[in-house]
Amino acid sequence: MENSGPNIDQQAKELESLMARVRDLRWQFGDETYDLYLESVYDASQKIVSAVVKKPGETRALKLETKIDRVVTSKKWGFPIMFLLLAAVFWFTIVGTNYPSQWLSLLLVDTVHPWLKSMAELTELPFWISGLLIDGIYLTTAWVVSVMLPPMAIFFPMFTLLEDFGYLPRVAFNLDNVYRKVGAHGKQALTMSMGFGCNVTGVIASRIIDSPRERLIAIITNNFSLCNGRWPTQILIATIFIGSLAPSYLGGIVSAASVIAVALLGIFMSLLVSWGLHKTVLKGEASSFSLELPPYRPPRIKTILYTSLIDRTLVVLGRSVMFAIPAGMVIWLSVNISIDGKSLAFYLTEWMDPVALFFGLNGIIFLAYIIAIPANEIVLPTILLLTVLGSSVSGQEGMTMISANSALETADILKAGGWTLLTAVNLMLFSLLHNPCSTTIYTIYKETKSLKWTMYATFIPIVLGLVVTFLVARIWEIFG
Amino acid sequence: MMADPCSTCPIHHPGNLEKLGIDMSGFDYIIALAGNPNTGKSTVFNTLTGLHQHTGNWPGKTVSRAEGAYKYREKRYKLVDLPGTYSLLSTSTDEQVARDFILFGKPDVTVIVTDATRLQRNMNLVLQILEITDRAVLCVNLIDEAKRHQIEIDFRTLSRELGIPVAGTSAARQSGIPELLQKIEEVASGSFVCKPLRIKNKDKRLAEAIEEISQTLHTLYPGLPNAKWIALRLLEGDESIVNALDSGQLGNLTL
């Protein structure tokens, strides 16, 4: 490229005069340019389409679609139908999870684990290697798989079915108005729905929101959507502690209802925090947008199975196992490194217990949440392992209580660890309201490029979680 | 039972398409996939590349671009799945990603995916894309759904009106893909020369203003392919285009 000096100057001058002319013309049109242009576009497309498309008018299929929409997005039926569908999904998950969980636990925890231990004894592995590998890493992983896999393998295909059929945008449609009322963007209803799958996706999806202010609100509040990693925790705890309070034929329904209650509390919190942000640090007008309701489509079974089992179940499970390995090591070490005859975990839980109990939780839960910051998925397995290993600290050979091959036995372990109904309720609440997992935090930072907003997104939920569990614990004290 | 006459046609030779997944090495052409949200762009993308980009029945699922590749008749194509947008005029990140890629990424062909049952609404974006690129193929997707609703589309007239090749597909059911591939090849190789429809501005004064500015742009940057569209953006006061002019980036757009 050879551009001599005068040439560039010449061009710059001409450009300047062009821009002057543009400014001049802009005075003539004002803000109308956009509308004038769009009008011409609409006109042209109208002409073309009417020439090439023959429509028979409202066909039966189209009429049916309109009818379905009129019901599922109606003021009267929209929300009840939404709750019923969600309830059905949870109920199937809860009822369907128990047996596969038992089988997996029977295989991985009751059969393979003792076999591995005996192999270790035969080969005379040093105690710390077999402990670290088999009691730490293997057992955590086995628990992650048997606790997490069955609910995911049932929940995700059903959730994906609703998505593929076209129901999720209707959920967004129903919620759109509510979100606008609290000063957030209506599209936040969509990103929130995506958060029910995974908060990382929900945070990234917030790019569909044009206004930076509303996009930030959507990003900061996405964590209030219960995600992949937290559904199984909710479902299991609900089954063990809340479902078991009801007569057995109602157990499934009661547990499903309590999970829905937590999910709804999440939606409520996202509205509340959006409103709070809108009133304080992120003031501004809510902008309008048009939401297109896509046609209902016959679900494609192959795609659903691929998306739900490979993209979701295996990815989430793989991630949990990846995090379970270091977590298992940390747990085993913290239980087995002792000072003055007492383990590190003992000191830590002992030290956190008074504070934790104040919030209706316990030290083990606090410790588990710290170990599980990288992935919410492993919170429950971590709690189980800490409880089991912790209770065996005093007696050296206390590894007998390790099998948790049904929800009932899991309950026994937890009850032996001093759990009450309050602990369970507050764990469910705290699982909803605490910091996002580290991947989400990193994604929030990448999307906002701001440390300040990342901190907001991280600490608002923790503070809310502590406030809510504190209040519940106090109310429990009064009535309990 | 008669054999399907299409299956004996040479373009249906199944060996023509080779899905390359994410192997994008040494490609001959870049193809962009653009269109309204929820028209099945990602499904077309998956069908051609063999990848499993997450598809879902709702708008706004793809917010960043996905890339993959396929091989068709010995040529390698790099395929870029752009976020679905309703227009090219707004300032949200997803629309900017789409617009910038079509403008600055210089794709050899832009495949505009539309929903056969919502052609009217989709056409607005089609016309806007044709304002900024000369090489495009229209993919009318979801024709099976259109059939269900008894909608008939005259593809030949549509192609003549728009001045670009048109292919009717149902990507989820794998139909119409050979025709689409062939039409992409025709435009990429230059054997089909597009004469895309350019919108006539109804408002005379606006039309004159655009004409005047694009004339000046042409003398300033000879060979600028989309002077009219840039003129329009200037008149709307689009700052990113003004900056591009200032920094000389626009000069790079000339062919």
Side-chain angles (χ1 to χ4, degrees), chain A residues 11 21 26 40 42 45 52-54 56 59 163-166 169 190 194 207 210 292 294-295 297 306, chain B residues 38 52 54 57-58 64 86 92 121 123-124 142 145 149-150 152 154 201-202 212 220 235-237:
Chain A
Q11 203 170 21
R21 178 73 184 129
R26 272 173 60 77
S40 313
Y42 282 16
S45 60
V52 299
V53 175
K54 251 198 268 173
T59 56
E163 183 184 338
D164 205 55
F165 176 60
L190 271 178
M194 290 192 95
R207 289 183 195 168
D210 319 5
E292 191 176 34
R297 284 177 187 149
Y306 189 93
Chain B
N38 213 41
H52 290 277
H54 185 137
N57 184 10
W58 58 339
S64 51
Y86 292 103
S92 69
R121 217 183 298 165
M123 196 54 67
N124 299 324
L142 303 168
E145 222 169 89
H149 294 302
Q150 294 159 31
E152 285 170 45
D154 178 354
N201 262 300
K202 280 199 312 173
E212 182 196 327
L220 273 170
L235 284 172
E236 278 177 27

Side-chain angles (χ1 to χ4, degrees), chain A residues 333-345 347 393 396:
Chain A
L333 285 174
S334 71
V335 173
N336 282 280
I337 295 175
S338 14
I339 307 162
D340 293 340
K342 281 176 183 155
S343 70
L344 209 58
Y347 284 113
V393 179
Q396 282 294 321

Side-chain angles (χ1 to χ4, degrees), chain B residues 67-88:
Chain B
E67 302 185 349
Y70 68 90
K71 195 164 139 188
Y72 178 72
R73 292 200 190 160
E74 300 312 310
K75 294 282 187 208
R76 297 171 84 90
Y77 294 77
K78 176 177 162 182
L79 195 61
V80 180
D81 187 17
L82 299 174
T85 57
Y86 292 103
S87 79
L88 294 178

Side-chain angles (χ1 to χ4, degrees), chain A residues 238-250:
Chain A
T239 314
I240 293 174
F241 284 95
I242 297 172
S244 63
L245 291 179
S248 62
Y249 64 97
L250 282 176

Side-chain angles (χ1 to χ4, degrees), chain B residues 149-192:
Chain B
H149 294 302
Q150 294 159 31
I151 297 170
E152 285 170 45
I153 299 168
D154 178 354
F155 291 116
R156 211 189 269 183
T157 313
L158 185 57
S159 169
R160 210 173 43 226
E161 290 279 331
L162 293 174
I164 58 170
V166 176
T169 62
S170 172
R173 284 163 183 71
Q174 309 279 331
S175 75
I177 299 300
E179 289 82 356
L180 176 65
L181 286 169
Q182 200 200 8
K183 283 173 175 159
I184 295 173
E185 186 204 31
E186 283 171 9
V187 175
S189 66
S191 70
F192 185 107

Side-chain angles (χ1 to χ4, degrees), chain B:
Chain B
M1 280 270 280
M2 279 257 294
D4 178 10
C6 288
S7 60
T8 56
C9 170
I11 64 167
H12 267 276
H13 182 52
N16 283 340
L17 172 67
E18 193 186 322
K19 301 172 181 186
L20 295 176
I22 52 165
D23 172 21
M24 289 175 280
S25 56
F27 58 85
D28 300 288
Y29 302 117
I30 303 182
I31 313 297
L33 275 180
N36 279 50
N38 213 41
T39 52
K41 279 183 307 304
S42 299
T43 311
V44 172
F45 178 84
N46 288 345
T47 308
L48 296 186
T49 60
L51 292 172
H52 290 277
Q53 166 87 343
H54 185 137
T55 59
N57 184 10
W58 58 339
K61 173 193 51 61
T62 314
V63 280
S64 51
R65 34 181 252 234
E67 302 185 349
Y70 68 90
K71 195 164 139 188
Y72 178 72
R73 292 200 190 160
E74 300 312 310
K75 294 282 187 208
R76 297 171 84 90
Y77 294 77
K78 176 177 162 182
L79 195 61
V80 180
D81 187 17
L82 299 174
T85 57
Y86 292 103
S87 79
L88 294 178
L89 305 167
S90 103
T91 51
S92 69
T93 322
D94 47 343
E95 287 198 10
Q96 258 168 0
V97 169
R99 185 176 66 202
D100 287 354
F101 190 81
I102 299 172
L103 266 178
F104 304 111
K106 287 194 218 160
D108 292 289
V109 183
T110 302
V111 177
I112 313 166
V113 184
T114 54
D115 176 348
T117 64
R118 286 162 165 72
L119 211 48
Q120 172 76 61
R121 217 183 298 165
N122 291 182
M123 196 54 67
N124 299 324
L125 178 70
V126 175
L127 295 179
Q128 287 175 43
I129 293 176
L130 291 184
E131 294 273 296
I132 62 174
T133 179
D134 276 334
R135 300 150 75 91
V137 170
L138 183 71
C139 167
V140 181
N141 197 21
L142 303 168
I143 45 169
D144 55 325
E145 222 169 89
K147 257 182 216 142
R148 222 156 31 95
H149 294 302
Q150 294 159 31
I151 297 170
E152 285 170 45
I153 299 168
D154 178 354
F155 291 116
R156 211 189 269 183
T157 313
L158 185 57
S159 169
R160 210 173 43 226
E161 290 279 331
L162 293 174
I164 58 170
V166 176
T169 62
S170 172
R173 284 163 183 71
Q174 309 279 331
S175 75
I177 299 300
E179 289 82 356
L180 176 65
L181 286 169
Q182 200 200 8
K183 283 173 175 159
I184 295 173
E185 186 204 31
E186 283 171 9
V187 175
S189 66
S191 70
F192 185 107
V193 180
C194 300
K195 292 190 190 71
L197 172 85
R198 293 284 149 89
I199 300 160
K200 285 194 192 70
N201 262 300
K202 280 199 312 173
D203 188 272
K204 254 211 183 115
R205 286 178 316 147
L206 184 62
E208 278 166 13
I210 289 175
E211 188 58 38
E212 182 196 327
I213 292 171
S214 63
Q215 288 286 339
T216 320
L217 280 169
H218 266 309
T219 52
L220 273 170
Y221 309 99
L224 194 66
N226 22 43
K228 274 196 178 169
W229 190 77
I230 291 166
L232 178 76
R233 300 301 300 167
L234 283 174
L235 284 172
E236 278 177 27
D238 179 338
E239 281 174 24
S240 61
I241 291 285
V242 177
N243 290 338
L245 272 178
D246 276 344
S247 67
Q249 199 185 358
L250 217 49
N252 300 333
L253 272 184
T254 53
L255 294 174

